[in-house]
Amino acid sequence: MQPFIKREVMPGPLRGKALEGFVRDAATTFFHQSCTCRMGRDEGAVVDSQLRVRGIDRLRIADGSIMPRVTTGNTMMPCVIIGERMGEILTA
């Protein structure tokens, strides 16, 4: 790869605390965070079919965290459908 490298773009000549600060501020993920409050019927599920959080009154979740598994494609469309479902639940 050496023939394709012209220069370092970021972070530049940082050392010590400055380099540590850059890494802490610039580190990110390109993955879609999801499945942290999964919906289901078993004891491990956090959200029920009406998007209610178990054990907490009057709290619902309508985002990618309720998906039981990470989708094989982009998460946008499932999140749109989850939002649409919440709209139906709240207006019924």
Side-chain angles (χ1 to χ4, degrees):
M1 298 296 292
Q2 194 66 30
F4 302 105
I5 298 172
K6 290 185 178 182
R7 69 186 184 291
E8 178 182 355
V9 176
M10 291 172 68
L14 300 179
R15 299 275 185 256
K17 291 288 184 185
L19 181 58
E20 181 180 327
F22 171 80
V23 171
R24 289 185 185 277
D25 293 339
T28 185
T29 180
F30 292 98
F31 296 101
H32 299 286
Q33 304 304 316
S34 59
C35 310
T36 56
C37 298
R38 93 181 153 79
M39 179 174 57
R41 295 184 186 140
D42 62 304
E43 287 296 316
V46 176
V47 177
D48 68 13
S49 63
Q50 296 298 302
L51 307 179
R52 294 177 294 224
V53 176
R54 294 195 168 126
I56 302 177
D57 291 338
R58 300 178 56 141
L59 179 62
R60 295 179 192 250
I61 298 177
D63 62 23
S65 65
I66 72 162
M67 294 189 285
R69 283 180 230 72
V70 178
T71 59
T72 56
N74 193 299
T75 57
M76 184 197 150
M77 199 63 226
C79 288
V80 169
I81 299 301
I82 292 166
E84 290 286 330
R85 178 68 183 127
M86 178 63 92
E88 290 173 356
I89 291 168
L90 294 176
T91 58

